Amino acid sequence: MNIKDNEEQIYLDKTMDIIKKEISKQEDTCESGIEYIQELSKYHWENKETMDDIEFANSVHFINHSALLTNNQIDRLRKLRRSLKNPFFGKIEVDFDDDEVESIYIGFTDIMDSYDQVVSDWRSPIATLFYNSKLGNTHYDAPMGRIDCKLLNRKQIKISNGKIERVVESDIHLGDDELQEVLSKSSDGKMKNIVTTIQEEQNNVIRNVKDKKLIVQGCAGSGKTSVALHRLAFLLFNDKKSNSSNMLILSPSDTFSKYISNVLPDLGESNVMETTFSDFANAFINRFDKIESYTEFVSKYYDELNSEGENKLNKFKFSSLYKDAIQKFIVKETDTYRFNNNVIIGDVIIPYGVLNTLLASSAYKNFGLQERLDLLADDVKTLSKKYANFNSNSIRKVLEKELINKRVDPRILYNRFLESDEFREAYGKKGNKLNKKLLSYADLSGMLYLYFEIVGYPDNNIIHHLVIDEAQDYSPIQVEMISKMFKGASITLLGDCNQTINPYHKYKSLKEMQDIIKDSKYVELNKAYRSSPEIMNYVSKIIDDDKIIPVRNSNNKEIKVKEVSKDELYKKLVSDLLTLKENGAKRICIITKSTKESKAIFDTLKDTVDDLTVINENNDLTDTCISPSYLAKGLEFDAVILYNDIENTYNSEDKYLYYVACTRAQHDLIIYNEPDDIKKKVLR
């Protein structure tokens, strides 16, 4: 160990002693807090019958307040124990005014020794210098404003078993050595945090509090999901009004949710709420035995279970013509809505005749019901001075309640639309009425949109921060609905147009979403960290994208392309699986185009390969698994064997699905029966 490393070891030993002392103190505090809550609760339940209302309310308040304090203390204890394993991973030396040089250590959480800052949390303002700044004159933004300074040195520090293992000085950015070491490791069954290797373009998204609405287009392996999770952790640290119950992730599947479930706890934060769009919609539309998930919906297409007519109808339901037809139907449907009674707001009575005259005026024509209510509320406010003291929004809520005074059934309403002239004119014929057994994913968005546009969008003030992952698979109608439902929340949408698996709709660019999400900022992440440059160069040619920048060092493993007949499939798979594992691959996935093919290969291998699973929407991942291409999205593996069935091969229309399948591989990619359309694109 050299002198500089020894200096860091001395600081590490000191820091660990401080953490141990605080852990001991925090354990006593938590134990006392739990005992106090138990005593309060016991007293409450033994004496609640003799308490008056004020005493009862005060007792409940003290119990809840004490529980909140103790939970915060337990949370702090958990973070301290996490930090004991790795107290810090970085150090910066900063000159603030030419004669005051400070050494600042960066770690997973703040560590204090009395009033002295021993370690700064990676989310603190000054930590921006560690991730973004070049050596020399620089600045960072703090709560009190801009802080000018000079960055003199930056170090990455690796700690193992309480010992300094490596110290690397880095000039321009976080050093390649640490990053390349992380990227070269085998994948895991769970996504890991990237705190020690966050790159500048990722950090800019994570720490962006200026833009409330963010749309992030990122290539495969650019760290989109990691960035989203670290952004939530950053917001939890900096937004004192928010906690994990105020945050929501719209996830593509339950399997994906399980895959990312370790990241926030690993960062010392509680997991936030997660749901899929179908499950979320179930809270508003519950008169069906089952609501089809997105995965089930697209699998029918790729498994060729739909008729030509069904595919044509589904394509229409993802088009702008479909939305236009809904809007026209809404105008006609609500043209007859009228007030039957006077409306009372405060002590002011508004005659229903006045309101109906306004509704019937030409100024309200061609607007949907919700827009009419907005106009009506504004007109009522300006109609007379005696209404001037009322807020337009409060007026609107009263008007909405009085105008829509009967329960609207979403299924009945949508069935009227399917049989309407508006639907027939847009599609060419009327649609088939829905029964209560199954609500197709293709109908789900339209039904919700129609319902909310008439009865109003639910006010969701609970969610402060919303993340929408795999945003490219959300239709414009869905994005518009979500923006209206969570209009008070900050929204981060992340996706990749090149990973679109929806066969009925594709954005040319996620930038199109700026037309829907007003006042949003569009960002691109074009650096690919997951897959080797050999793999990324291969897929870049297929999708004609020359903006992707592979970051990983070459592992000198060329993509292996093999012609494999069905007769020799079993033998080839067993041989390649064995070879890959002998060469160090821990997690391997055989990716097929369809579910049918996945199940067939599973039946072939299940008696030979231990712990083999077929990935579905909600199972856990094993080290060796088989997956249809559309379910593998978002996951990563050391090696991928991409199987192409000659009778159901990828064609030019499926190139984005093929791109998804290839980019699940970190180190090794073996392709059985490379499709002809792909051969034409990639000339090796």
Side-chain angles (χ1 to χ4, degrees):
M1 180 180 291
N2 59 40
I3 295 175
K4 289 185 177 180
D5 288 2
N6 188 53
E7 175 187 325
E8 307 305 349
Q9 184 65 54
I10 292 170
Y11 196 86
L12 173 61
D13 294 340
K14 169 192 167 185
T15 304
M16 292 179 72
D17 286 340
I18 293 170
I19 294 173
K20 288 174 183 176
K21 289 177 184 176
E22 191 177 348
I23 285 175
S24 178
K25 187 188 301 182
Q26 201 72 21
E27 286 174 339
D28 292 340
T29 303
C30 291
E31 187 175 340
S32 299
I34 292 170
E35 289 175 357
Y36 183 59
I37 294 167
Q38 290 172 339
E39 290 173 5
L40 286 176
S41 300
K42 181 180 178 182
Y43 177 83
H44 176 84
W45 288 107
E46 288 177 350
N47 296 277
K48 64 177 182 176
E49 301 298 335
T50 60
M51 294 179 184
D52 60 28
D53 291 343
I54 295 176
E55 289 173 325
F56 187 91
N58 284 336
S59 178
V60 171
H61 171 75
F62 284 131
I63 293 171
N64 291 338
H65 182 66
S66 299
L68 179 62
L69 288 176
T70 302
N71 283 337
N72 289 337
Q73 290 161 351
I74 292 171
D75 185 55
R76 176 61 181 165
L77 178 59
R78 181 162 50 87
K79 290 179 180 179
L80 288 169
R81 287 172 175 166
R82 165 70 177 80
S83 291
L84 194 58
K85 299 176 184 177
N86 188 13
F88 51 82
F89 52 80
K91 176 185 178 182
I92 50 177
E93 293 178 3
V94 185
D95 183 348
F96 286 98
D97 56 8
D98 294 329
D99 59 3
E100 182 190 353
V101 177
E102 289 189 28
S103 293
I104 298 155
Y105 288 80
I106 311 297
F108 284 91
T109 192
D110 285 313
I111 305 296
M112 302 290 295
D113 182 18
S114 186
Y115 295 104
D116 294 332
Q117 187 87 39
V118 180
V119 177
S120 294
D121 193 292
W122 67 274
R123 297 164 289 186
S124 62
I126 200 168
T128 307
L129 301 177
F130 176 73
Y131 291 110
N132 281 21
S133 294
K134 298 178 181 179
L135 297 189
N137 292 327
T138 185
H139 72 276
Y140 66 94
D141 295 320
M144 70 286 292
R146 171 173 165 147
I147 306 294
D148 292 306
C149 57
K150 181 182 289 185
L151 182 61
L152 302 177
N153 198 2
R154 177 199 287 106
K155 294 179 180 179
Q156 289 176 276
I157 302 171
K158 184 172 183 179
I159 298 170
S160 180
N161 298 320
K163 299 295 180 184
I164 298 291
E165 186 174 306
R166 183 174 66 240
V167 178
V168 178
E169 294 191 8
S170 178
D171 181 5
I172 299 176
H173 50 68
L174 289 183
D176 280 342
D177 290 344
E178 173 74 10
L179 177 61
Q180 293 299 335
E181 181 180 323
V182 171
L183 296 178
S184 66
K185 288 181 179 178
S186 296
S187 64
D188 201 345
K190 301 282 188 179
M191 181 180 283
K192 297 177 181 178
N193 76 71
I194 59 170
V195 168
T196 62
T197 58
I198 293 172
Q199 300 298 292
E200 183 176 354
E201 78 277 6
Q202 297 171 329
N203 195 48
N204 290 337
V205 175
I206 291 169
R207 292 173 180 266
N208 186 332
V209 293
K210 178 184 175 183
D211 298 294
K212 196 172 180 181
K213 317 286 185 183
L214 274 177
I215 300 169
V216 182
Q217 157 68 38
C219 65
S222 58
K224 295 182 296 295
T225 303
S226 290
V227 165
L229 294 170
H230 287 68
R231 177 167 170 77
L232 289 179
F234 177 82
L235 293 170
L236 282 168
F237 179 80
N238 286 276
D239 183 357
K240 302 308 178 185
K241 295 180 181 179
S242 296
N243 54 53
S244 58
S245 64
N246 300 130
M247 300 185 173
L248 175 66
I249 300 174
L250 285 179
S251 178
S253 68
D254 291 336
T255 295
F256 187 74
S257 295
K258 291 176 183 178
Y259 177 62
I260 66 175
S261 62
N262 276 10
V263 176
L264 283 171
D266 203 30
L267 293 172
E269 303 293 348
S270 300
N271 267 322
V272 304
M273 295 183 290
E274 291 184 52
T275 187
T276 63
F277 184 80
S278 295
D279 288 343
F280 177 78
N282 205 23
F284 306 99
I285 299 177
N286 52 21
R287 292 196 62 194
F288 291 87
D289 295 341
K290 178 178 172 56
I291 294 178
E292 186 177 46
S293 70
Y294 179 68
T295 302
E296 291 170 329
F297 172 65
V298 296
S299 70
K300 288 181 179 178
Y301 176 86
Y302 292 112
D303 288 340
E304 299 181 328
L305 299 177
N306 291 337
S307 67
E308 187 176 334
E310 286 172 322
N311 283 332
K312 180 183 176 184
L313 181 57
N314 286 339
K315 191 173 183 65
F316 166 71
K317 289 176 181 176
F318 280 88
S319 70
S320 59
L321 290 174
Y322 174 69
K323 182 187 175 185
D324 292 343
I326 292 177
Q327 291 284 17
K328 291 176 182 177
F329 174 78
I330 290 170
V331 172
K332 184 187 76 173
E333 176 77 9
T334 57
D335 263 346
T336 57
Y337 278 38
R338 293 292 182 268
F339 291 91
N340 297 318
N341 302 295
N342 295 337
V343 175
I344 301 174
I345 301 177
D347 58 353
V348 177
I349 299 175
I350 307 172
Y352 71 89
V354 172
L355 296 173
N356 288 334
T357 299
L358 287 169
L359 275 177
S361 69
S362 59
Y364 285 63
K365 191 177 181 182
N366 297 326
F367 284 101
L369 183 62
Q370 294 302 311
E371 287 85 355
R372 292 183 199 183
L373 284 167
D374 287 334
L375 292 170
L376 189 59
D378 290 337
D379 285 346
V380 164
K381 185 174 173 61
T382 57
L383 193 63
S384 172
K385 289 183 179 179
K386 61 183 178 182
Y387 303 137
N389 292 329
F390 292 113
N391 178 277
S392 290
N393 191 47
S394 62
I395 295 174
R396 185 195 187 288
K397 287 182 178 179
V398 176
L399 295 173
E400 182 180 75
K401 184 178 179 181
E402 290 295 329
L403 187 61
I404 311 170
N405 55 13
K406 59 181 182 297
R407 184 175 181 274
V408 177
D409 185 293
R411 180 161 63 90
I412 294 174
L413 180 66
Y414 187 70
N415 275 335
R416 284 208 299 273
F417 166 65
L418 292 175
E419 295 185 309
S420 68
D421 291 337
E422 289 74 22
F423 186 94
R424 179 184 54 77
E425 288 170 6
Y427 182 60
K429 62 180 180 180
K430 292 183 178 181
N432 297 322
K433 290 178 66 174
L434 305 181
N435 58 43
K436 67 175 184 177
K437 290 184 178 180
L438 174 68
L439 175 60
S440 164
Y441 190 86
D443 290 303
L444 171 60
S445 299
M447 183 181 294
L448 262 183
Y449 182 75
L450 173 58
Y451 178 63
F452 287 148
E453 286 289 312
I454 288 183
V455 305
Y457 287 86
D459 289 331
N460 195 314
N461 299 318
I462 298 173
I463 302 302
H464 297 176
H465 307 287
L466 174 69
V467 166
I468 305 173
D469 207 357
E470 305 294 350
Q472 74 278 357
D473 291 328
Y474 287 74
S475 68
I477 279 183
Q478 288 174 299
V479 175
E480 182 179 334
M481 278 193 294
I482 290 168
S483 68
K484 289 180 177 179
M485 277 189 279
F486 298 96
K487 58 186 176 183
S490 69
I491 301 178
T492 306
L493 300 94
L494 307 101
D496 179 10
C497 287
N498 290 328
Q499 293 185 67
T500 300
I501 63 172
N502 187 338
Y504 306 111
H505 176 266
K506 184 181 184 301
Y507 295 95
K508 292 180 180 178
S509 166
L510 290 190
K511 195 173 177 64
E512 294 174 40
M513 289 186 179
Q514 286 190 292
D515 295 332
I516 307 169
I517 308 290
K518 303 301 181 184
D519 301 318
S520 57
K521 181 179 178 64
Y522 175 76
V523 179
E524 288 189 1
L525 301 176
N526 294 317
K527 292 182 179 179
Y529 297 93
R530 177 193 299 131
S531 302
S532 69
E534 288 81 5
I535 294 172
M536 293 312 299
N537 290 334
Y538 174 80
V539 297
S540 295
K541 294 175 184 176
I542 295 168
I543 58 173
D544 299 315
D545 191 339
D546 58 4
K547 292 193 294 185
I548 299 175
I549 305 169
V551 172
R552 281 194 51 188
N553 289 338
S554 172
N555 56 15
N556 297 315
K557 292 182 178 180
E558 294 298 326
I559 297 170
K560 296 177 181 177
V561 178
K562 302 181 178 183
E563 297 297 320
V564 180
S565 68
K566 287 191 175 182
D567 291 339
E568 56 185 352
L569 178 60
Y570 169 79
K571 181 181 177 181
K572 291 287 186 182
L573 283 172
V574 172
S575 174
D576 282 332
L577 287 172
L578 183 61
T579 300
L580 287 168
K581 289 182 179 181
E582 287 176 347
N583 291 337
K586 289 176 60 179
R587 300 184 65 248
I588 305 169
C589 188
I590 302 167
I591 299 183
T592 65
K593 184 179 177 183
S594 70
T595 303
K596 180 181 177 182
E597 293 158 3
S598 287
K599 290 178 178 177
I601 290 179
F602 175 77
D603 290 338
T604 301
L605 295 176
K606 64 182 180 182
D607 295 329
T608 306
V609 180
D610 293 334
D611 203 20
L612 182 69
T613 57
V614 176
I615 294 177
N616 57 40
E617 282 189 275
N618 51 27
N619 63 349
D620 293 318
L621 302 178
T622 56
D623 284 346
T624 307
C625 51
I626 307 167
S627 176
S629 49
Y630 43 83
L631 270 176
K633 187 172 56 169
L635 308 177
E636 62 182 33
F637 306 90
D638 292 328
V640 164
I641 300 174
L642 183 54
Y643 171 70
N644 298 289
D645 190 320
I646 299 299
E647 297 172 3
N648 184 32
T649 189
Y650 296 87
N651 54 47
S652 56
E653 294 178 354
D654 303 321
K655 65 180 181 180
Y656 301 108
L657 192 65
Y658 190 81
Y659 169 78
V660 168
C662 291
T663 53
R664 299 312 94 202
Q666 287 183 284
H667 313 297
D668 293 273
L669 176 61
I670 301 174
I671 300 171
Y672 288 4
N673 306 322
E674 186 179 38
D676 289 337
D677 283 351
I678 305 302
K679 289 177 185 176
K680 295 173 185 176
K681 285 274 187 181
V682 184
L683 301 176
R684 287 184 303 278

